[in-house]
Amino acid sequence: MGQRINPLGFRLGTTQSHHSLWFAQPKNYSEDLQEDQKIRDCIKNYVQKNMKISSNVEGIARIEIQKRIDLIQVIVYMGFPKLLIEDRAGRIEELQMSVQKELNCVNRKLNIAIKRIANPYGHPNILAEFIAGQLKNRVSFRKAMKKAIELTEQAGTKGIQVQIAGRIDGKEIARVEWIREGRVPLQTIRAKIDYCSYAVRTIYGVLGIKIWIFVDEE
């Protein structure tokens, strides 16, 4: 049968780099991994709570974590940082405090930086959040998918594939619908492909959204 693989893990070392950079002894590895997950969840929850906009898009493209002996450096790549940093310093300090409380790290300093990305809708996470918001507002799924594809085309990507699975439009039988525009060469390791999977809780069940975006070829 088909061996499907996550496009990001498949390209590690060629066009894709790790989102977490640290070294741990084998016995501490699992703790560090869970710590990373806690940091990511904490930041996402904070952003969700403090968003000033009604469009449901958090706008976090990815969160990179670098750990040293005495420092945890977290870089949050956001599409719309304005929503979070109106009064810039105060907000980031508050976020740092909440993450530190979650981790209760005594002997390590935590440093959070926020970076803006140029084309927010060229990133699958932000696009998935956009589609999720549309589906929650009962927009028809085809309309939402087409709109998402329009937005990525404006961001100047070479190809995109969007897939929605589950009880689409509240139908009794779950199905998978997908749509592709341009080229999406998943087999080519040289091709830089951005991917994300995202779960949406709608009133009639959970829908899964998967997005592949072909950025460019090296």
Side-chain angles (χ1 to χ4, degrees):
M1 298 297 290
Q3 280 82 22
R4 283 202 187 163
I5 184 167
N6 186 316
L8 303 180
F10 185 47
R11 289 172 176 75
L12 270 180
T14 48
T15 59
Q16 181 69 29
S17 57
H18 290 273
H19 287 173
S20 291
L21 291 172
W22 41 264
F23 179 80
Q25 296 297 343
K27 61 175 188 288
N28 304 331
Y29 186 84
S30 58
E31 285 171 20
D32 276 23
L33 203 59
Q34 285 166 343
E35 191 178 67
D36 273 17
Q37 195 54 46
K38 264 188 197 166
I39 292 174
R40 291 199 164 95
D41 290 344
C42 191
I43 291 175
K44 279 180 186 160
N45 292 340
Y46 179 86
V47 171
Q48 237 167 1
K49 273 183 207 152
N50 294 303
M51 273 328 224
K52 297 201 166 179
I53 198 160
S54 54
S55 70
N56 294 334
V57 178
E58 291 168 31
I60 296 179
R62 64 181 187 279
I63 298 172
E64 287 186 1
I65 299 173
Q66 297 169 8
K67 289 182 187 171
R68 302 195 195 113
I69 296 169
D70 54 351
L71 176 73
I72 302 177
Q73 171 77 33
V74 181
I75 304 172
V76 185
Y77 290 88
M78 290 187 78
F80 317 102
K82 278 199 206 76
L83 312 174
L84 185 63
I85 31 187
E86 298 281 276
D87 42 0
R88 186 159 189 156
R91 271 291 167 84
I92 293 178
E93 276 164 23
E94 196 184 318
L95 175 57
Q96 275 182 1
M97 293 296 285
S98 65
V99 174
Q100 253 164 344
K101 201 185 285 176
E102 186 74 30
L103 292 181
N104 58 42
C105 53
V106 186
N107 48 4
R108 281 188 297 180
K109 194 168 172 268
L110 181 81
N111 188 6
I112 296 181
I114 290 182
K115 284 192 178 175
R116 185 167 187 277
I117 44 179
N119 297 323
Y121 289 114
H123 285 263
N125 291 57
I126 296 175
L127 214 57
E129 280 166 9
F130 168 77
I131 295 177
Q134 298 277 309
L135 292 174
K136 277 181 184 166
N137 296 339
R138 307 242 190 132
V139 175
S140 99
F141 74 97
R142 276 216 176 81
K143 211 174 192 176
M145 276 158 55
K146 291 219 172 92
K147 183 81 179 103
I149 283 176
E150 272 173 35
L151 288 169
T152 31
E153 278 173 353
Q154 288 164 14
T157 53
K158 291 193 176 177
I160 173 175
Q161 181 175 330
V162 182
Q163 176 183 309
I164 299 180
R167 289 184 58 179
I168 299 170
D169 290 342
K171 296 272 165 57
E172 291 285 302
I173 288 182
R175 63 187 202 275
V176 178
E177 290 283 346
W178 61 275
I179 185 169
R180 187 193 297 139
E181 196 71 45
R183 286 173 60 217
V184 185
L186 296 179
Q187 299 283 303
T188 316
I189 298 182
R190 274 201 329 267
K192 179 153 177 49
I193 284 185
D194 227 348
Y195 163 80
C196 102
S197 61
Y198 191 92
V200 199
R201 289 194 170 85
T202 58
I203 10 173
Y204 32 77
V206 179
L207 297 182
I209 301 176
K210 285 184 179 175
I211 298 182
W212 293 261
I213 293 179
F214 176 30
V215 187
D216 65 342
E217 205 155 350
E218 291 203 348

